[in-house]
Amino acid sequence: MLAVTTTPRLLVAAHGTESAAGSATTAALVSDVAAAAPEVPVELCFLDVVGPSLADALAVVDTPTVVVPLLLSTGYHVQSDIPAVLARHPNVRLAGHLGPDPLIISALADRLGTSAGATTVLVGVGSSRPEARPELETACRLLGERLGRPVTAKTLFEDVRASLAALPGPGAVAPNLLAEGEFYPRLCAAADGVAVVAPPIGAHPDLVRLVLARYRAALD
């Protein structure tokens, strides 16, 4: 455990997006995290597209910090980018990324809402890193167990529209996405006329709990 006399800072490292809606969703989530743990200093930084960057956020204040990657799966940022930055900051702990986790599954099921009765497809962004696909498959299995029926996993690297059009009966898409951004409109366009797309996970109470759980686990 970190030997500190003050509560370590929780630095949420989000991907970053040019989408105003996506940025607002991320800001709302971080605000909810701060409200849920008022004793913890909570700040937000970004890994791409917008600032402040992770490196900038760590350079500003030399204080014990836990970085929680606001990322659902393994990828470049988890495996390479974040560890490279943190290697220059021995006073910083790195928490695990968010998925797959039962709290994510709970939030996904909640976002599906009444669409949960339809044939369901869990769609993730996809990654060139091989570890990402098993995580999506695990999330798919857990969501199927939660809904009581099989769920199919797809990524935006695949022909999502053809897959949705081939579904037996009405289709519902659970986006394995945290916020609006580049990928959510692409998914909605692919599903237009063939399936209902649920909202991204967003500032869901279960996601707030998970971010704080990752922070606390990194301190133990």
Side-chain angles (χ1 to χ4, degrees), residues 160-173:
V160 173
R161 184 168 184 82
S163 299
L164 295 176
L167 292 175
V173 176

Side-chain angles (χ1 to χ4, degrees), residues 1-10 39-41 61-66 91 215 219:
M1 181 177 290
L2 289 173
V4 295
T5 58
T6 59
T7 303
R9 173 176 58 156
L10 192 174
E39 75 283 3
V40 178
V61 180
D62 183 18
T63 185
T65 297
V66 175
N91 205 29
Y215 165 80
L219 293 176

